[in-house]
Amino acid sequence: MALTAHDVDRFMASRPRLEAIAYRLLGSASEAEDAVQETFLRWQDADTEHIRVPEAWLTKVLTNLCLNQLTSARARRETYVGAWLPEPLIAGDPMLGPADSAEQRESVSYAVLVLLERLSPNERAVYVLREAFGYTHREIAEILDVSETASQQILHRAKRHVADGKARSDIDEAAARRIVDEFLAAATSGRTEPLVRLLTADAVAIGDGGGKVPARAKAFEGAVAVAKFLRGLFKPGQAKRALLGGQAGLYATTANGEPAVVVVVDGRVIGVMCLEVTAEGITAIRSQVNPDKLERVTRHWTATDHGEPLFTAF
């Protein structure tokens, strides 16, 4: 059936929310865009005159598309080269969605997106719909074709799994800038001691290169091991510049609401390093360097002026 202009307007009004839901469910901006586009195609084929609540219909279609995608994604990730990390989004990206409450901000944090990988598809869907978007258990039950009681039980399990690994503090942009400033000063000092002082004793560092860019698949564990790794990573050298294609500029920003270092070469983002911070210090450093997962970040980064880098490195 051909869509009317009114039908298209109704879909477009829901699109930002659909993209934000899909990103939280899939951990990938490109896959989220595909899921939303497929939802539009289903909307195009639907008898829209008989859909009483378009938002509910669209959310159900999108969620079920994402659940199918998650099931197949688990199989693909078993053969993924190296560690798999979500696709980061920098401050200002509309796909980050609502950030009015602590629950909404937390649901899209890089740390929690990593934790959500532990959940079953249904657990992830219930957690996202309830915690980030405030859907009632009755609404979630209709979306997932389960009972309200089952939805409540699934949320309880999901929150327990997430809480078991969560160690995050809410960080505003000013604090994030100070943390990144201090981190980069320590990382470029050429010494491990300043880094060790910033890290928690059980700090970890891991990267996702997707087999396209060198990245250690197994995490570095412990403050000393992480500090030694970072000292080597930030040590300048001719070979490193040749590998990167030029000198890198290091910028402070937030990605998914967390302090982050953005590494830019000739206007292209080649890495986003997300810092998970607690009151005790930096507890995790997750670096996304897979170029396939940095295309959207690069588009958003180059659309605005970020001034001079804090440091030039490598």
Side-chain angles (χ1 to χ4, degrees):
M1 296 178 65
L3 289 184
T4 65
H6 178 59
D7 290 332
V8 173
D9 288 343
R10 288 198 295 177
F11 178 84
M12 294 307 294
S14 292
R15 187 175 191 117
R17 179 181 52 82
L18 295 175
E19 287 188 343
I21 291 173
Y23 173 69
R24 284 166 167 83
L25 287 176
L26 299 173
S28 165
S30 57
E31 290 179 4
E33 289 171 345
D34 290 343
V36 172
Q37 182 59 28
E38 179 61 29
T39 302
F40 176 72
L41 295 177
R42 303 285 179 94
W43 176 248
Q44 193 172 28
D45 291 337
D47 185 359
T48 56
E49 288 184 7
H50 293 89
I51 296 175
R52 291 189 300 107
V53 187
E55 178 181 314
W57 189 93
L58 291 167
T59 303
K60 180 166 185 170
V61 170
L62 174 82
T63 301
N64 282 285
L65 286 170
C66 289
L67 290 179
N68 292 336
Q69 181 78 357
L70 281 172
T71 301
S72 61
R74 285 174 179 250
R76 290 200 310 275
R77 286 170 196 171
E78 288 178 3
T79 59
Y80 190 83
V81 179
W84 186 95
L85 291 175
E87 184 175 343
L89 299 179
I90 58 173
D93 192 316
M95 195 176 278
L96 288 169
D100 299 325
S101 68
E103 290 80 11
Q104 289 172 336
R105 293 190 296 274
E106 184 175 80
S107 71
V108 79
S109 73
Y110 213 60
V112 167
L113 286 179
V114 170
L115 290 172
L116 291 182
E117 288 295 306
R118 300 179 179 184
L119 306 184
S120 70
N122 267 14
E123 287 173 340
R124 189 162 182 161
V126 173
Y127 183 91
V128 167
L129 292 172
R130 179 70 184 145
E131 295 296 292
F133 295 92
Y135 282 85
T136 66
H137 283 292
R138 175 178 293 181
E139 291 169 323
I140 294 170
E142 291 174 355
I143 290 169
L144 299 180
D145 293 323
V146 299
S147 68
E148 286 186 59
T149 300
S151 177
Q152 292 166 349
Q153 292 171 342
I154 291 168
L155 178 65
H156 179 72
R157 287 200 307 271
K159 290 177 76 171
R160 186 176 68 246
H161 290 317
V162 171
D164 285 346
K166 189 170 60 180
R168 183 175 179 268
S169 301
D170 211 15
I171 303 294
D172 62 28
E173 286 199 35
R177 174 63 182 257
R178 292 194 299 272
I179 290 165
V180 174
D181 282 352
E182 193 173 0
F183 171 76
L184 286 178
T188 56
S189 70
R191 298 183 295 123
T192 58
E193 293 82 1
L195 281 165
V196 170
R197 287 196 293 271
L198 294 180
L199 301 167
T200 61
D202 59 351
V204 297
I206 194 165
D208 177 351
K212 300 182 177 183
V213 174
R216 182 180 168 92
K218 192 176 185 312
F220 290 91
E221 298 181 356
V224 174
V226 171
K228 288 180 178 178
F229 159 68
L230 291 170
R231 181 187 63 187
L233 180 67
F234 283 90
K235 185 177 181 180
Q238 200 64 29
K240 202 169 290 184
R241 279 194 293 274
L243 178 66
L244 298 178
Q247 192 170 56
L250 307 181
Y251 296 82
T253 189
T254 58
N256 297 74
E258 295 180 326
V261 179
V262 175
V263 185
V264 182
V265 174
D266 293 332
R268 179 173 53 91
V269 176
I270 64 165
V272 177
M273 182 177 283
C274 296
L275 310 180
E276 184 179 354
V277 180
T278 67
E280 289 73 36
I282 299 171
T283 193
I285 299 167
R286 300 182 180 94
S287 301
Q288 184 55 261
V289 292
N290 182 344
D292 293 344
K293 297 184 182 182
L294 296 172
E295 292 178 1
R296 185 180 178 96
V297 168
T298 295
R299 290 200 304 271
H300 281 268
W301 184 264
T302 55
T304 56
D305 181 17
H306 297 275
E308 294 299 314
L310 291 175
F311 293 90
T312 54
F314 315 130

